[in-house]
Amino acid sequence: MSIRTKQRTQDRQIGLVQAALELAAQKSPAEITTAELAQAVGITQGAVFKHFQSKQAIWVAVMEAVQQDLMTRLQTEVTAHIAAGGALTALKAVFTAHIDFVLQYPGVPRLIFQELQHAKPTALKDRAQALMLAYRQLVVGLLDQARTQEHISPHIDTHAASALFMGAIQGLVMQSMMAGTLAGMKTQALKVYDIYAKGLLAPVPQPLKEAQ
């Protein structure tokens, strides 16, 4: 394969990934056909399979691109905020950056939710799980640092707190999807994060003493 041909293939692959993301914002990924993807990038349906072996391979490439893009954005926010404001400031920046990512690519949560529901393992489900693991590790790491810096309660279970962090975003996304609009999600997200952050600062309640 010549350099020019290889470059053309890479361009087509990028175009198909972008088209899949755009179409997923409008309908379920399971309903998107290779004919629709081909039309979106201006090629024939048969030509799609010159660049990807299967429809599943396209979605795996989408998930790989999503993981790289999202995690790069989040890590950039961490780097930008952790030195100036500490881990807790960086954690809020990660939360808002994730919301911004969803607003830009509303089809991504739909794709992830769809794949994680499958009982049997697939290449796409593996990629979705890898993304969730990398995300969870980032959040737990920030919470551990915040606890070490004494910016949150020393009694916080950081793994449970990371689950709540991710669940808050997932809940916001699910509510927006059910409402059929993302309008107002950013404003609501900031209010939700404020409640979450207050929980990180709250002291653990002491057990009641038994009456003598």
Side-chain angles (χ1 to χ4, degrees):
M1 181 182 292
S2 68
I3 293 177
R4 185 175 180 179
T5 301
K6 184 177 180 180
Q7 183 64 50
R8 186 162 56 245
T9 295
Q10 290 175 341
D11 290 342
R12 288 299 191 196
Q13 288 173 336
I14 293 171
L16 286 165
V17 165
Q18 187 63 36
L21 282 169
E22 292 173 359
L23 287 169
Q26 305 166 22
K27 60 194 298 186
S28 168
E31 299 175 354
I32 297 171
T33 66
T34 51
E36 289 175 309
L37 291 170
Q39 183 179 14
V41 297
I43 60 176
T44 65
Q45 186 174 2
V48 170
F49 299 104
K50 293 181 180 180
H51 307 296
F52 287 102
Q53 293 183 342
S54 64
K55 181 180 175 181
Q56 178 80 352
I58 297 173
W59 289 113
V60 170
V62 169
M63 192 63 72
E64 289 173 348
V66 165
Q67 179 172 359
Q68 181 177 358
D69 188 358
L70 177 59
M71 296 309 299
T72 297
R73 293 188 192 202
L74 300 186
Q75 192 57 60
T76 297
E77 293 297 325
V78 171
T79 302
H81 290 86
I82 201 164
L88 197 56
T89 300
L91 188 67
K92 183 175 182 179
V94 165
F95 191 92
T96 55
H98 191 169
I99 295 298
D100 288 339
F101 184 84
V102 171
L103 291 172
Q104 183 177 355
Y105 297 112
V108 170
R110 188 177 289 123
L111 174 61
I112 293 175
F113 292 153
Q114 173 184 288
E115 286 307 309
L116 293 180
Q117 290 178 41
H118 291 171
K120 295 182 180 180
T122 65
L124 184 52
K125 183 177 180 179
D126 288 345
R127 295 307 310 177
Q129 290 175 326
L131 170 58
M132 298 297 286
L133 177 60
Y135 192 109
R136 187 179 302 112
Q137 289 174 337
L138 175 66
V139 174
V140 169
L142 287 173
L143 287 165
D144 284 337
Q145 289 183 57
R147 190 172 58 183
T148 299
Q149 294 166 351
E150 299 182 350
H151 291 168
I152 63 175
S153 170
H155 305 290
I156 287 291
D157 181 325
T158 55
H159 288 275
S162 72
L164 185 57
F165 180 98
M166 297 170 70
I169 294 175
Q170 290 165 355
L172 286 162
V173 172
M174 287 296 292
Q175 289 182 36
S176 296
M177 289 172 64
M178 288 188 291
T181 177
L182 299 179
M185 188 171 75
K186 182 68 173 287
T187 300
Q188 187 70 13
L190 294 174
K191 294 177 181 178
V192 168
Y193 185 83
D194 285 344
I195 295 172
Y196 172 79
K198 288 176 182 177
L200 296 176
L201 299 172
V204 175
Q206 297 299 314
L208 295 175
K209 294 182 178 179
E210 294 184 4
Q212 299 296 325

